[in-house]
Structures are given as structure tokens and as C-alpha cells.
Amino acid sequence: SIAADAEIDRKLASLFDQARETPPVAVEIRTIGGSVDFVDRMLPGIVVMFLLFAVTLGAQTLVEERRTGTLERLMTTRLGVNQLFAGKFLASLARATLQALILLSLGFAILRVAGPWVFVQIMIFILFVAAAVSAVGLVIGAVARTRDQAAWFAVFFTMFMTIFGGTFFDVGDTGPLAVLSKITLNRYAIDAMVAILGEEEGILQQGLGMAVLGGVAVVGLVAARFAFKTTEGGR
């Protein structure tokens, strides 16, 4: 009986050694819909979403100032239409950039996601994002005739960009959602920021994202200036 017990112990020990060397079961961790580092995608997604909300504020403000005659009264000063229009764009750009600066400062300080140089690169890229969303806000404000119209246009734009742009999850490179995401600002903005934040690439490698966002800003500004009116009567 003692010999049998010893044989059993030896056999079990041999099996345990075998299992440790070549485990019959392995655990593989996969993150579905994004990178393993969740913060690297969540932080840019939140920042871009907040910048899109600035579209609503900018569009509504422009419509309200036209309705109350504020824009018309400004035209009695030395300001020209182009100067007034440029001022509206720069004010929106500054407001959006300041929002991003506050959010990113808190994120970097509390979460410690990256170093100072990454922060600087992100803020440089944010200028392109802020310019694009500010231009879109001016387009909506220029074509909307009521405050409610401006709000609904801006909300639809924001929700479409947020939902289909892969704001909080990676939509990948294939499939209907991936194709649809390529017509959103979020796809280019967030993918570039994720790459910079993860230190996979620098600001110099984000040529596509900057070109798309810069193109949207230029086209949006031209369209908004063409539709820009200082009075409800259309002047």
C-alpha cells in the first residue's frame, strides 16, 4: 500500500511538471473594439466630443446676434464684414482650443498618460481640430434662420460624427462602419491623437489628419463667408 501511494505521488508529480511546461489550457486577453490601453482612446474621444459641442454654441450665438441686431450694429463701427467674420472664427477657435487645453491638462496631470512633449504635440494637432469644428459652426450659423434650426443642425452633426466616427472604439479598416467613418472628422482626429498619445507616431506623421481637418476648415470658411449675413433680411 505504501509502495502504491509513493507510485501515485510520483505519477502526479510527473503530470504536474508536464502541465507546467506545456499547459493544456491557455488564457488569451483580447480587447474588442479598441486598443489595450483604454485611456489612450477614451481621452481623445472625450476631447473631440467636447469640441464638437462648441459647434452648437457658436452656431446659436451667431443666429441670436443676427436676430437681435447685434451684428448689424457692429457694422456701424469701423469693422468690415470680413473683419467681423474673421473675429467670429477666431473667437470660436480660441474657445474650442481653451476647452481642449483644460481637458487635456487635467487628463495629463491626473492620469499621467504621457510626457510634456506629447502634450505639446497633441495641442498643436488640436488647433486643426478646433479650426475645422469652428468653421462648421460658422456654416451652420450662417445658413440657419432660427436658434432652434441652428441647435438641431449642430446636434445632428455632433451625434453623427460621434457615433459613426469611432469616438470611443476602433472601427477598424474594413466593413460598412469603417467606410462610413471616413467621412467624419472624428476618425481622422482621434486616430491621429491616439497615435501621438501612445507615442507610436509624432505630429509630423499626421499629415493625412491635418490635411483633412485643414481642408474642412478652409472649405467651411469659404462656404460660411459666402452665406454669412449680418441681418435677418439677408444683408
Side-chain angles (χ1 to χ4, degrees):
S1 177
I2 295 175
D5 290 342
E7 182 62 27
I8 292 173
D9 290 340
R10 282 195 297 272
K11 185 62 176 177
L12 287 173
S14 174
L15 291 174
F16 282 133
D17 291 339
Q18 226 175 2
R20 277 192 291 269
E21 292 177 6
T22 55
V25 178
V27 177
E28 182 179 359
I29 300 176
R30 292 184 181 181
T31 302
I32 298 177
S35 60
V36 174
D37 194 341
F38 184 63
V39 175
D40 279 359
R41 185 152 204 106
M42 179 62 71
L43 182 59
I46 291 174
V47 171
V48 173
M49 188 172 67
F50 268 86
L51 292 185
L52 288 175
F53 286 148
V55 171
T56 304
L57 181 60
Q60 288 182 323
T61 300
L62 190 58
V63 173
E64 188 65 16
E65 289 181 349
R66 186 188 302 119
R67 187 188 67 81
T68 58
T70 301
L71 294 180
E72 189 174 10
R73 287 194 294 274
L74 286 172
M75 293 305 300
T76 63
T77 66
R78 294 181 180 180
L79 288 175
V81 177
N82 290 332
Q83 292 173 312
L84 179 59
F85 179 80
K88 290 296 179 185
F89 171 71
L90 291 176
S92 179
L93 177 65
R95 182 170 57 243
T97 304
L98 180 60
Q99 287 179 339
L101 177 62
I102 294 172
L103 286 171
L104 285 171
S105 296
L106 290 173
F108 273 68
I110 296 172
L111 302 176
R112 302 183 183 278
V113 291
W117 174 233
V118 172
F119 180 82
V120 172
Q121 292 182 86
I122 290 285
M123 284 306 305
I124 293 172
F125 189 81
I126 282 293
L127 291 174
F128 288 85
V129 184
V133 299
S134 297
V136 172
L138 285 177
V139 171
I140 295 174
V143 301
R145 290 295 170 258
T146 66
R147 190 180 179 89
D148 286 343
Q149 281 184 2
W152 278 110
F153 289 158
V155 167
F156 176 80
F157 172 80
T158 301
M159 290 300 99
F160 181 88
M161 294 291 151
T162 300
I163 294 171
F164 296 105
T167 303
F168 299 114
F169 58 91
D170 187 1
V171 296
D173 297 318
T174 58
L177 190 58
V179 173
L180 194 59
S181 72
K182 292 180 180 178
I183 65 173
T184 67
L185 299 180
N186 293 44
R187 172 67 185 263
Y188 302 97
I190 294 173
D191 282 358
M193 291 171 67
V194 167
I196 297 173
L197 198 59
E199 300 186 56
E200 300 169 6
E201 297 176 349
I203 186 71
L204 297 179
Q205 284 73 49
Q206 307 312 317
L208 176 61
M210 290 188 289
V212 170
L213 295 168
V216 170
V218 171
V219 173
L221 285 174
V222 172
R225 177 62 189 89
F226 180 77
F228 184 68
K229 302 293 188 297
T230 57
T231 66
E232 285 193 295
R235 185 165 61 83

